[in-house]
Amino acid sequence: MKMFTLRLKPKTIFGLILIATGVVVIAITFFSNHVEGSRQTAGSILLATDQERADYLTTLGWKFDSAFEEKQVKIPMEFNETYTRYNEIQKAQGFDLEAYKGETVSVFTYNILNYPGFENEDYILANLIVLNGELIGGDVCSTSASNGFMQGLKK
């Protein structure tokens, strides 16, 4: 039977501990970043289909016409004052269009039928801003010249 004996100096032991600690820190950082990225995807609101968009508006308490308008909009690279104010509405509800500057997005517009005080009016609209099937912003607004307003998606 053979025995193997290893004699290490304290500096060598300290160096090995330092290397092992570095590997553990790098592994924790790597895996936590990837788990965080998957959490963002899991927590995102997917609205790739007509039914998903309709279900989402319904969960927010909105009643709406089944017909909708879809248009493509390019988010500008530089925000003017209007876009900056609009993005403040988005930030208040957990979105931020800054990350999507220069992107072309789909905007789905629905006619809202049950806005408090404006039931069954034709000029209350919900806009869902979608990129690659994921909701990145939206608003509820009135296009009336006398009673115009804009707010987040929730009532």
Side-chain angles (χ1 to χ4, degrees), residues 68-141:
F68 63 88
E69 176 186 336
E70 178 183 1
K71 60 185 170 192
Q72 301 297 309
V73 175
K74 185 169 185 168
I75 298 174
M77 291 298 293
E78 296 295 324
F79 285 179
N80 61 19
E81 184 180 334
T82 303
Y83 251 96
T84 300
R85 284 190 310 215
Y86 184 71
N87 200 38
E88 291 303 316
I89 294 171
Q90 301 311 309
K91 287 179 181 179
Q93 59 184 352
F95 301 113
D96 187 358
L97 298 178
E98 290 274 342
Y100 303 102
K101 287 182 173 181
E103 296 280 353
T104 299
V105 298
S106 296
V107 178
F108 297 91
T109 302
Y110 295 82
N111 186 33
I112 298 297
L113 304 175
N114 65 332
Y115 192 88
F118 296 91
E119 287 80 3
N120 298 315
E121 299 290 340
D122 288 337
Y123 52 85
I124 307 296
L125 305 174
N127 296 298
L128 301 175
I129 305 171
V130 178
L131 178 64
N132 299 325
E134 182 179 340
L135 182 67
I136 63 167
D139 64 83
V140 173
C141 64

Side-chain angles (χ1 to χ4, degrees):
M1 179 166 147
K2 292 187 178 183
M3 287 190 97
F4 180 72
T5 306
L6 182 62
R7 293 184 191 193
L8 299 173
K9 294 179 185 176
K11 285 183 179 180
T12 306
I13 293 172
F14 180 74
L16 291 173
I17 291 172
L18 206 59
I19 290 172
T21 303
V23 169
V24 169
V25 168
I26 290 171
I28 289 171
T29 304
F30 177 80
F31 288 116
S32 67
N33 285 342
H34 286 286
V35 169
E36 183 65 30
S38 63
R39 275 191 205 131
Q40 289 174 339
T41 302
S44 64
I45 301 167
L46 299 178
L47 301 180
T49 67
D50 296 343
Q51 187 61 50
E52 289 172 334
R53 290 186 294 276
D55 290 346
Y56 178 70
L57 286 174
T58 301
T59 62
L60 295 177
W62 298 118
K63 293 182 182 174
F64 50 92
D65 287 339
S66 59
F68 63 88
E69 176 186 336
E70 178 183 1
K71 60 185 170 192
Q72 301 297 309
V73 175
K74 185 169 185 168
I75 298 174
M77 291 298 293
E78 296 295 324
F79 285 179
N80 61 19
E81 184 180 334
T82 303
Y83 251 96
T84 300
R85 284 190 310 215
Y86 184 71
N87 200 38
E88 291 303 316
I89 294 171
Q90 301 311 309
K91 287 179 181 179
Q93 59 184 352
F95 301 113
D96 187 358
L97 298 178
E98 290 274 342
Y100 303 102
K101 287 182 173 181
E103 296 280 353
T104 299
V105 298
S106 296
V107 178
F108 297 91
T109 302
Y110 295 82
N111 186 33
I112 298 297
L113 304 175
N114 65 332
Y115 192 88
F118 296 91
E119 287 80 3
N120 298 315
E121 299 290 340
D122 288 337
Y123 52 85
I124 307 296
L125 305 174
N127 296 298
L128 301 175
I129 305 171
V130 178
L131 178 64
N132 299 325
E134 182 179 340
L135 182 67
I136 63 167
D139 64 83
V140 173
C141 64
S142 167
T143 58
S144 167
S146 60
N147 295 326
F149 66 85
M150 184 175 288
Q151 68 171 55
L153 290 167
K154 294 181 180 175
K155 280 188 172 180

